[in-house]
Amino acid sequence: MIRFEHVNFAYGSAPVLRDVNFHVAPGETIVIFGVSGSGKSTILKLVSGLAKPQAGRIWINGDDMTDANESTWSVVRPKIGLVFQGGALFDSMTIGENIGFTLLEHTDKPMAEIEATVRQTLRFLNLSEDLIDELPDSLSGGMQRRVAIGRAVAAVDPLIMLYDEPTTGLDPISTVAIAEMIVKLRDVKKVSSIVVTHQIADAFGLTDHFIVLHDGVIVFDGDGASLLRSGHPHVRAFLAPFVESVRALPAMGI
Ligand SMILES: Nc1ncnc2c1ncn2[C@@H]1O[C@H](COP(=O)(O)OP(=O)(O)O)[C@@H](O)[C@H]1O
Ligand SMILES: [Mg+2]
């Protein structure tokens, strides 16, 4: 569904991704870990065609998109739902306008049809349909983030979902609610997903396929058990705070 082969990417002369290879199977979710600046968001940009690699090949849904022109991308991009880092909503628009944004802006669908899609999306997200006329400010951070996922889903009826740090800054309960959304989209809509996150414990509930990126290089690609056993120094450094917190549980009587 998504395949990177020997992908290199640089902003100007600054290399960001080096010889990146990975594969996401149809209906599969993978999690990408990596410290800030390692190139995670750049991978999502390349998958959604917002940036082009300088070398290597990128396959999406069976098509080689490496040299695809804008008209080819305009067919593929609507199948890709992107939840941006921070998941910002337009604060002067209602929840309904936020979720329907792409449909309102980029399609000729009649209002009644857009409203029906927005209502259906709210139900799918386990959010009340009464929120449709509310402003984002009146929602908790966790609900706003769910609406941001709704905006991606309503717009595209996606084959692929890309989540850039969807739970950063949220409380534990909201984090669980977002994780449930990601799993529901995977199971009900059968999407392939890439989740970029720092929340290691929660990531284990999403998939058993993990990639660790360090300085633009994939230093790990494998399952959770191998991840925890990995002797790679950058993998161990990334996991250290998590491993220490798990070790501390018995001392806390848990
Ligand atoms: N638009 C840009 N122009 C130049 N450099 C950028 C741009 N966006 C990101 N970078 C640089 O590319 C590197 C990878 O960024 P990014 O993919 O956002 O990392 P991550 O999401 O892992 O934090 C960083 O060094 C960052 O400073
Ligand atoms: Mg990022």
Side-chain angles (χ1 to χ4, degrees):
M1 181 57 72
I2 305 168
R3 184 184 294 280
F4 275 41
E5 291 173 358
H6 305 293
V7 167
N8 283 276
F9 179 80
Y11 287 107
S13 60
V16 174
L17 297 176
R18 288 176 286 164
D19 196 25
V20 166
N21 296 280
F22 68 90
H23 175 231
V24 188
E28 189 191 22
T29 299
I30 71 162
V31 163
I32 302 182
F33 291 132
V35 295
S36 208
S38 54
K40 306 178 301 294
S41 296
T42 302
I43 288 184
L44 301 188
K45 274 190 205 164
L46 289 165
V47 174
S48 46
L50 301 173
K52 294 206 176 303
Q54 275 86 25
R57 310 223 71 84
I58 294 176
W59 298 76
I60 293 174
N61 199 16
D63 294 320
D64 185 344
M65 296 298 291
T66 318
D67 302 313
N69 57 21
E70 198 45 41
S71 75
T72 309
W73 270 110
S74 69
V75 177
V76 174
R77 214 177 269 128
K79 296 286 168 203
I80 302 175
L82 179 56
V83 180
F84 290 101
Q85 208 159 341
L89 299 173
F90 303 114
D91 56 9
S92 62
M93 293 184 191
T94 66
I95 299 305
E97 287 164 344
N98 266 284
I99 293 179
F101 179 75
T102 308
L103 297 174
L104 288 163
E105 290 291 305
H106 299 294
T107 70
D108 304 324
K109 289 187 199 278
M111 275 307 288
E113 193 182 318
I114 293 177
E115 187 180 329
T117 305
V118 168
R119 288 183 180 279
Q120 193 187 0
T121 304
L122 284 168
R123 289 195 300 272
F124 186 82
L125 299 175
N126 297 325
L127 291 169
S128 163
E129 285 182 54
D130 296 340
L131 293 176
I132 198 162
D133 295 319
E134 300 281 332
L135 289 170
D137 271 357
S138 64
L139 268 57
S140 70
M143 281 164 100
Q144 290 188 22
R145 215 65 73 86
R146 267 194 273 173
V147 170
I149 293 177
R151 186 169 57 190
V153 175
V156 299
D157 202 11
L159 285 175
I160 292 171
M161 284 293 293
L162 309 174
Y163 304 90
D164 201 348
E165 304 192 18
T167 56
T168 299
L170 295 183
D171 61 84
I173 291 172
S174 303
T175 298
V176 169
I178 298 290
E180 284 171 0
M181 292 306 322
I182 293 173
V183 168
K184 188 172 176 185
L185 275 162
R186 180 194 71 196
D187 293 344
V188 177
K189 304 239 182 203
K190 312 286 183 208
V191 296
S192 305
S193 322
I194 301 179
V195 185
V196 169
T197 180
H198 291 288
Q199 268 139 342
I200 298 167
D202 299 310
F204 279 89
L206 299 177
T207 184
D208 196 29
H209 186 174
F210 302 92
I211 282 176
V212 181
L213 197 63
H214 185 85
D215 209 4
V217 175
I218 291 186
V219 293
F220 176 88
D221 184 343
D223 63 23
S226 323
L227 179 74
L228 296 175
R229 276 198 312 265
S230 169
H232 194 291
H234 292 312
V235 175
R236 295 194 73 84
F238 186 83
L239 291 177
F242 168 72
V243 171
E244 274 158 31
S245 68
V246 173
R247 280 215 192 95
L249 294 178
M252 292 158 69
I254 296 169

